[in-house]
Amino acid sequence: MAHYFGFIPSDKLNDMIDEAEKIITSNETVDYYPYRNELTQQIASELIDSLLVSLIDVIPNPERQASMRKIIETIERATETLLNVLLGKDKNEDIMPSFNFLKNQSMFIDNEGLRRVGFKLSKDSAQTIIEGFASVTPGTVDKVKFKTALETMNEEALTHFISRFTETLKLGMIKRKSIPVAKAAIDKGMSMAINKLLPQLPDAGLNRLASFYRPFLIEIADE
């Protein structure tokens, strides 16, 4: 069995994927970069929504909800700034590596036949996440294992959608040097979100949080 991380895209994102695929694979004589850029920005937005924005609902304290919103806004701004710097008016032939990465390595069909935006996890990362989720039950909670699972999931997502994706872009040296700096800032923000959230939640809240995240981990039979 193989394990994947993935979220179900919105209707808007699904339509954008279909439109970009139709235009680019049919070799239409138009500029491809707007489709690639808008698709990338929408994926980033929905990834943040899936991993972070929905967490606000499980926080019982209004002040801490406000604090979490500020952290998420910082992450959103950093992500938007990075993408605005990296995604330019590239030639059509230079678009293809990044488009193919999104199409072939950042989407999959789940066991219900639904398209998900996501990627295959390494065996070690999948095992860490599985064990972390399994450590949260109505009877007992291991916060250390659960925190490690969430950190692993976030790091895998950042590595895939920032580090691996940007390897497919045609960038100059200055822009490429900005990537690890921006990734570190986003990673710090996501770690702050987890560190602010977990200590305040009772076991029942941690169970709700685990239940929220479990559907992002998909087990699919190897072909």
Side-chain angles (χ1 to χ4, degrees):
M1 303 295 286
H3 291 87
Y4 290 74
F5 164 83
F7 65 90
I8 296 176
S10 67
D11 290 342
K12 177 181 179 179
L13 179 52
N14 260 325
D15 290 343
M16 291 173 69
I17 293 169
D18 291 338
E19 182 182 21
E21 184 173 1
K22 178 183 177 183
I23 289 173
I24 294 176
T25 57
S26 62
N27 296 317
E28 289 192 24
T29 54
V30 296
D31 289 330
Y32 294 164
Y33 74 84
Y35 299 94
R36 189 276 314 272
N37 294 0
E38 290 173 7
L39 184 59
T40 302
Q41 290 165 338
Q42 187 65 24
I43 288 174
S45 175
E46 295 194 15
L47 179 65
I48 292 172
D49 282 346
S50 296
L51 288 177
L52 293 175
V53 174
S54 298
L55 293 183
I56 294 172
D57 294 335
V58 306
I59 301 174
N61 185 302
E63 291 183 3
R64 297 198 178 213
Q65 285 183 339
S67 178
M68 180 68 76
R69 287 193 182 94
K70 289 181 180 179
I71 293 172
I72 294 171
E73 288 170 1
T74 299
I75 294 170
E76 288 173 333
R77 286 196 300 270
T79 302
E80 183 179 359
T81 299
L82 175 65
L83 292 180
N84 286 338
V85 169
L86 299 182
L87 300 177
K89 297 181 179 181
D90 300 313
K91 297 178 181 177
N92 284 1
E93 58 266 30
D94 294 331
I95 292 292
M96 294 312 298
S98 53
F99 174 73
N100 287 332
F101 176 85
L102 294 175
K103 177 186 174 185
N104 300 325
Q105 298 182 50
S106 302
M107 298 175 199
F108 64 94
I109 303 300
D110 68 15
N111 296 309
E112 282 70 49
L114 297 175
R115 173 194 279 156
R116 285 183 181 254
V117 175
F119 53 92
K120 186 177 181 179
L121 292 162
S122 69
K123 289 184 178 180
D124 288 344
S125 292
Q127 190 61 34
T128 297
I129 296 169
I130 291 169
E131 290 177 357
F133 288 167
S135 72
V136 180
T137 69
T140 181
V141 171
D142 187 327
K143 283 189 178 181
V144 174
K145 282 189 175 182
F146 186 43
K147 179 183 176 183
T148 301
L150 295 182
E151 289 174 338
T152 300
M153 180 178 282
N154 286 344
E155 177 57 29
E156 285 284 340
L158 287 177
T159 296
H160 185 84
F161 286 107
I162 294 181
S163 302
R164 295 183 192 131
F165 172 71
T166 54
E167 287 174 1
T168 69
L169 301 177
K170 188 173 182 180
L171 301 173
M173 184 174 62
I174 294 176
K175 286 187 176 182
R176 194 161 293 283
K177 283 185 175 181
S178 71
I179 296 169
V181 177
K183 178 180 178 293
I186 296 168
D187 189 26
K188 181 179 179 181
M190 297 182 81
S191 294
M192 286 177 62
I194 292 175
N195 288 326
K196 278 186 173 292
L197 178 64
L198 292 188
Q200 66 173 298
L201 288 178
D203 286 359
L206 291 169
N207 272 272
R208 288 196 302 271
L209 187 60
S211 295
F212 171 80
Y213 273 121
R214 284 189 183 105
F216 294 117
L217 183 66
I218 315 297
E219 185 177 68
I220 299 176
D222 289 320
E223 297 180 354

